[in-house]
Amino acid sequence: DAGVIQSPRHEVTEMGQEVTLRCKPISGHNSLFWYRQTMMRGLELLIYFNNNVPIDDSGMPEDRFSAKMPNASFSTLKIQPSEPRDSAVYFCASTLNADTQYFGPGTRLTVL
Amino acid sequence: TQLLEQSPQFLSIQEGENLTVYCNSSSVFSSLQWYRQEPGEGPVLLVTVVTGGEVKKLKRLTFQFGDARKDSSLHITAAQPGDTGLYLCAGVYNFNKFYFGSGTKLNVKP
């Protein structure tokens, strides 16, 4: 299996622009997690889905952030409008029955 | 404020030395996991501990879960340069919600 796939690997954008991060989980996994990692706050859980349904989005910082999972093989995290404080590495992870989480390589986002 | 506090934050040691990393919380978890993350990559799971007082060994790494399931430690014996990385503990609530500690950045010098 190719593992969790994230795209793009790097994104540089200007403040106010819309950013869309993409994730393809491991085939057969039924839960998907979006995390954000910064030096100041470490690794924070933003939202997780179980069987494509959002279960807990209490970690989403504000309304500018939204996440979707239209099917079992694809999820997006969107930031609109983006701000410099959103700069971070965003990870997607998938798991079967919330056991071992397999993380993707991350998307490094820089908002100027 | 982090739910899980890890110490030390940074550790730089010589090859062959032993070290211990701590993960502490005031909360009780259903389980606790340890991950290692290398630069430019996502964290990789090392171990999951479930039972209070449980000890698990993975070659030179020994993991212990506190009796009250609020804290954990990771001990590395005879560290090697290949052990270099960011070590993260994660407390698991209700088997499906994960809270990560702030991490311990380990550098093992040859």
Side-chain angles (χ1 to χ4, degrees):
Chain A
D1 200 314
V4 175
I5 298 172
Q6 290 188 247
S7 65
R9 290 295 310 272
H10 302 272
E11 176 83 34
V12 180
T13 189
E14 292 189 345
M15 184 173 67
Q17 296 297 306
E18 177 179 297
V19 174
T20 300
L21 311 181
R22 297 172 176 80
C23 175
K24 177 178 168 53
I26 292 174
S27 177
H29 282 188
N30 58 1
S31 293
L32 183 141
F33 302 76
W34 281 101
Y35 291 89
R36 177 172 68 176
Q37 187 174 39
T38 61
M39 288 292 291
M40 290 295 295
R41 299 176 67 89
L43 196 61
E44 303 173 276
L45 176 64
L46 300 177
I47 185 172
Y48 80 92
F49 296 84
N50 189 49
N51 294 322
N52 312 337
V53 176
I55 302 300
D56 188 339
D57 64 355
S58 59
M60 296 285 262
E62 46 197 276
D63 292 345
R64 298 184 297 107
F65 286 68
S66 62
K68 293 182 179 180
M69 192 164 187
N71 57 61
S73 59
F74 184 65
S75 177
T76 59
L77 178 68
K78 187 177 291 188
I79 308 173
Q80 166 63 19
S82 59
E83 297 182 4
R85 61 192 167 121
D86 301 330
S87 298
V89 181
Y90 290 81
F91 286 102
C92 172
S94 72
T95 177
L96 178 62
N97 298 325
D99 187 9
T100 303
Q101 288 188 86
Y102 293 87
F103 283 78
T107 295
R108 181 173 293 277
L109 173 65
T110 302
V111 183
L112 303 173
Chain B
T1 305
Q2 291 274 354
L3 189 64
L4 280 164
E5 296 291 339
Q6 281 187 243
S7 61
Q9 281 188 291
F10 302 96
L11 196 52
S12 183
I13 61 172
Q14 291 294 136
E15 182 177 0
E17 292 185 20
N18 302 332
L19 67 114
T20 302
V21 176
Y22 299 93
C23 176
N24 295 300
S25 176
S26 56
S27 300
V28 178
F29 299 105
S30 53
S31 64
L32 193 136
Q33 300 183 328
W34 284 93
Y35 292 77
R36 185 170 77 199
Q37 183 179 16
E38 299 190 17
E41 299 181 8
V44 176
L45 180 67
L46 295 173
V47 77
T48 300
V49 284
V50 179
T51 307
E54 183 176 2
V55 177
K56 279 192 174 178
K57 290 195 173 184
L58 190 68
K59 297 184 180 178
R60 295 175 293 98
L61 278 60
T62 302
F63 305 86
Q64 184 160 10
F65 202 11
D67 291 341
R69 306 209 322 274
K70 295 181 179 181
D71 53 77
S72 181
S73 63
L74 157 61
H75 183 79
I76 301 179
T77 303
Q80 299 177 2
D83 297 326
T84 293
L86 178 67
Y87 288 81
L88 296 160
C89 64
V92 187
Y93 277 128
N94 299 326
F95 303 101
N96 58 12
K97 191 156 184 179
F98 299 79
Y99 289 95
F100 280 81
S102 48
T104 294
K105 189 171 276 191
L106 171 65
N107 180 38
V108 182
K109 294 174 283 189

